[in-house]
Each structure stands twice: as C-alpha cells, then as structure tokens.
Amino acid sequence: MSRCVGTISRGIRTGIIREGDDLSSMVVNSLMEACESDNIKLNDRDVLGVTEAVLARAQGNYATVDQIACDVKEKFKNKHIGLIFPILSRNRFAICLKGIAKGVDKITLVLNYPSDEVGNHLISLDDLDREKINPYSDVLTEERYRDLFGYKAHVFTGVDYIEYYKELILSQNCEVEVILSNNPNTVLEHTKYVLNCDIHTRARTKRILLESGAEQVLSLDDIMNYSINGSGYNADYGLLGSNKSTEESVKLFPRNANEFVTEVQNKIKDATGKTLEVLVYGDGAFKDPVGKIWELADPVVSPGYTKGLDGQPNEIKLKYLADNDFASLKGEALKEAIVNSIQKKEKDLKGSMVTQGTTPRRLTDLIGSLCDLTSGSGDKGTPIVLIQGYFDNYAD
C-alpha cells in the first residue's frame, strides 16, 4: 500500500531546564521517552529541533541591567548617544534599553515609522496618507507626531511605545528626546555617537552613518559580546536575539550552538543507530497578515545546525508538471510520469522552470519556522520538536 502521510511535526515535552543542566542528555532522554510512549520509529534524516531559549538557559547565558550599563559606559566615548531603529517590544528590547540608558546621560531616540523593522506599527499607512506625511522623507519631532496622531496604543499589546520607552529611559536618570525618522543620518544632527539597534539591516546602517561623519557607531551585536563582571555574553550577536528574563535581566542568544547540535546528533546515533539532523532554532521567519508582524526578531532563525541542513530545497513543482509537461495525462499514467520526473531530477534545479512556485529559502529557515510554530512561545512545554518525513517526496 502506498504511503498516505508526508511530513509530521511533533512537539516533545521535557522537564523544566535550569542553568547547569546537561541539556544534550536531557534532549536525547526526552526524545527516547516520547518514542517509547507514542510508538515512534526514528529514521535517518529525521530532524530534531531544540529551541535556543533552553540552550541559553542551560548555559546560564544572562546579563543584568547593570552589566549592560557597564559595557555601554565602557565602550562609548560620549555620554550623549543616538539610539536608533530599535524594535518595539517589552520582551525583546525594554530591559536592554534600561541598561543602555543607565550607561549614558542622554539619549536621542530615533524610531522608525509607521512601523519598526519587524512590523510593529506605531501608526497605520492610512493615518500617514490622511495627514500627507511621507515616511521616506519627513522627520517628525515627538511634539509634531502627537499633534498629528495623538496617543496610539499597539493593536495587540495596548502599549504606546513612544511613551513607554521614554519612561524607561527617564527611570534610569537619563535625559531623552524622541524623533521619528527612517533616515539614519537624522541622528547626526543631534550627536555623532550612535548605537544602531536594527537587526537585519545593521551593517548597512552602520556603513551609512560612518560614511556620513559619525564619530562612533556601535550595533547591538557590539554590546555584551564578551563577559562583563561575570555575565553571560555572545561573541557573535551580543544583545541581538536577547529576551526578557526578569525586570532587571535578559537571556542572551546561546553560544556554541554548532558544538551542541553535533553532541546531540552523536548521542542519538549511539542510542539508536540513526543519524538525525539537529538544529537550534529561535524565531521563525514568517509574517502575520493581521498584526503585520514579521516574526524574525532574532538575528538568524538557526544559530547552529548539523551539516545535512545546509542549503535550500531542490524540489519540482508538481502542479507545474501536471499543467504543462503532462497536461495530456491523467490517472496512473500521470502519477507514473511525475514520479519518474522526480526520480530523474537534476541535483541542482536552480533557475529551472520546474521549480517555479517552490519556496526559495534556506532549509534552516523553513524547518526552523516549522519548529517555532510547532513548539509555540507559551505554556506548551515542548522545547524540542521532532520532524519526520521532511526530506521525502512524492516518489518515495
């Protein structure tokens, strides 16, 4: 009988993971228990995802507001800095902002509008149209913004982020002025010392500022990129990918993720004889059509993965074959022709018409997004995700 099921994604429950835990053993043990309880048979090239949060927690990769402040104070040559293009998030940025504000005397806060980099809106495009504001050229002071748009609460969180960020900065005895602009050079009219907080465009922003006469430009990946007074750190990403832990601390993006996934892969091989692919995953890369939020607030979807997850899918679009190459066939003849095409497809189909309509993204971004959607971000208690059949196709 032909197989009737393709890809299966399962959330795997674990115990609560604490600093110092042997996470690789906990992951493998939880997987083995799930396989036994649900009669799951593992196969080569199954994929196991482990959320970045539990790896960072097991590593004790945390930083306090005071440690962030110390790093900022040490690295900036001026006590008045421009802080530009942060995302609007109580979880992702608020505690980082407290630490940054505590390390300087004045912040010129420049916010993207109508939304931040990942799609959190301050105002709608319709609001801009009504007031004939061009976000590509117009610079708004806080006073001008309030005159035009008043106080706008975020549709999901109910927070007015301009007021919220101002209060956070002021709470650290730091002076603040707020400007809305999408031009990074706007900040240079106020200070030549800048911390650019954008995530995926940070290298370009830094280049533009330096070319335009900035004296010093750091990005979030330059802050907490080594240990400060015993803190955690991330040499590659610094504060990027951090999450709120407490009101006075953040959990940083995990370190040494590639070493971790290799260790897990080897332990599973020893226990089962099967070679699974393993990745550490954070935010998925997808967009909410209602809230307009692009989920990816982490610097990458996957900071570590085994070699079998490198590259992109190499798939044929079945619909294209059925409607074009085999338009005259149907039934078993059509099925046989498509199966034959899949079995004989080239190893690299990039640019071929038969791939038209397939998803041109990296495997880690696709699989990491599936893991993120499966595990959720709340109380499911499934920080491990087992994906089976992902690399199967219609011909298998």
Side-chain angles (χ1 to χ4, degrees):
M1 182 177 177
S2 298
R3 286 175 52 190
C4 298
V5 178
T7 301
I8 299 170
S9 180
R10 295 181 177 92
I12 306 296
R13 288 182 174 168
T14 68
I16 303 301
I17 293 154
R18 297 290 193 185
E19 180 177 350
D21 284 345
D22 180 358
L23 184 61
S24 62
S25 295
M26 291 180 70
V27 166
V28 175
N29 291 339
S30 297
L31 176 63
M32 296 299 99
E33 290 170 5
C35 289
E36 183 176 353
S37 68
D38 281 39
N39 196 28
I40 301 168
K41 180 183 177 183
L42 296 177
N43 306 294
D44 289 329
R45 297 220 76 192
D46 286 348
V47 180
L48 192 70
V50 181
T51 183
E52 58 83 20
V54 295
L55 177 56
R57 192 182 306 150
Q59 292 173 339
N61 206 24
Y62 295 89
T64 66
V65 166
D66 286 341
Q67 288 163 339
I68 295 169
C70 181
D71 199 21
V72 168
K73 190 179 297 185
E74 180 180 295
K75 285 176 177 170
F76 270 104
K77 301 172 184 176
N78 194 290
K79 292 300 181 181
H80 174 198
I81 68 168
L83 192 151
I84 71 171
F85 304 161
I87 63 172
L88 307 174
S89 174
R90 294 170 296 176
N91 175 45
R92 287 291 192 167
F93 191 69
I95 307 304
C96 296
L97 180 58
K98 284 178 68 173
I100 294 164
K102 194 168 186 175
V104 295
D105 294 337
K106 181 178 179 179
I107 287 177
T108 298
L109 177 63
V110 180
L111 300 175
N112 295 110
Y113 78 102
S115 70
D116 68 8
E117 179 184 1
V118 297
N120 291 298
H121 276 69
L122 288 170
I123 45 178
S124 70
L125 287 169
D126 290 330
D127 288 335
L128 295 183
D129 292 342
R130 271 193 298 272
E131 300 296 340
K132 296 181 172 52
I133 298 296
N134 183 349
Y136 299 104
S137 59
D138 292 339
V139 175
L140 305 178
T141 63
E142 182 187 1
E143 181 180 15
R144 177 64 172 152
Y145 171 85
R146 295 301 189 193
D147 287 343
L148 291 169
F149 307 112
Y151 286 77
K152 296 278 189 180
H154 188 277
V155 63
F156 286 154
T157 66
V159 174
D160 181 304
Y161 279 97
I162 294 176
E163 192 67 18
Y164 178 55
Y165 278 6
K166 269 188 67 178
E167 290 177 357
L168 278 176
I169 294 169
L170 291 170
S171 74
Q172 302 305 308
N173 298 314
C174 179
E175 187 180 346
V176 60
E177 59 180 336
V178 180
I179 299 166
L180 290 91
S181 174
N182 293 304
N183 180 356
N185 288 334
T186 298
V187 74
L188 298 181
E189 299 172 15
H190 303 263
T191 177
K192 303 294 185 182
Y193 299 83
V194 184
L195 177 60
N196 67 294
C197 301
D198 44 341
I199 304 164
H200 306 289
T201 54
R202 62 188 183 276
R204 177 177 181 266
T205 299
K206 182 181 283 189
R207 173 180 59 77
I208 289 170
L209 288 166
L210 290 171
E211 288 175 352
S212 299
E215 292 288 336
Q216 183 183 20
V217 185
L218 300 179
S219 302
L220 284 181
D221 52 359
D222 296 313
I223 308 298
M224 301 309 302
N225 57 354
Y226 51 78
S227 181
I228 302 295
N229 300 327
S231 73
Y233 66 96
N234 190 301
D236 297 316
Y237 298 118
L239 283 176
L240 290 174
S242 62
N243 292 81
K244 179 179 179 179
S245 176
T246 70
E247 295 299 329
E248 294 295 322
S249 65
V250 294
K251 175 196 65 60
L252 302 172
F253 219 41
R255 305 188 302 269
N256 306 320
N258 279 319
E259 290 87 341
F260 171 75
V261 296
T262 300
E263 183 179 351
V264 171
Q265 185 182 57
N266 290 337
K267 286 185 176 181
I268 294 172
K269 178 77 170 180
D270 291 342
T272 68
K274 302 297 181 181
T275 301
L276 274 64
E277 303 298 343
V278 184
L279 80 162
V280 174
Y281 67 92
D283 275 349
F286 46 82
K287 187 171 183 177
D288 173 8
V290 177
K292 306 294 190 297
I293 298 169
W294 180 39
E295 177 71 6
L296 188 55
D298 287 325
V300 290
V301 173
S302 176
Y305 51 89
T306 51
K307 293 180 181 178
L309 296 178
D310 209 5
Q312 297 179 196
N314 190 53
E315 298 175 344
I316 290 172
K317 191 73 171 181
L318 300 189
K319 182 172 66 175
Y320 180 87
L321 290 177
D323 291 347
N324 290 273
D325 295 33
F326 309 125
S328 62
L329 301 178
K330 56 183 171 181
E332 283 300 315
L334 175 58
K335 178 180 178 180
E336 184 178 340
I338 288 178
V339 167
N340 187 55
S341 292
I342 293 172
Q343 291 172 338
K344 293 182 178 180
K345 68 182 178 183
E346 297 175 13
K347 290 184 178 181
D348 185 2
L349 292 168
K350 187 175 181 178
S352 171
M353 287 298 290
V354 295
T355 67
Q356 194 170 229
T358 58
T359 307
R361 292 168 60 189
R362 296 186 304 175
L363 287 167
T364 51
D365 294 339
L366 291 164
I367 296 171
S369 297
L370 176 57
C371 288
D372 189 28
L373 288 167
T374 301
S375 63
S377 58
D379 57 9
K380 296 186 187 303
T382 55
I384 303 170
V385 175
L386 175 65
I387 299 172
Q388 297 189 290
Y390 189 86
F391 293 102
D392 293 353
N393 61 46
Y394 189 66
D396 293 328

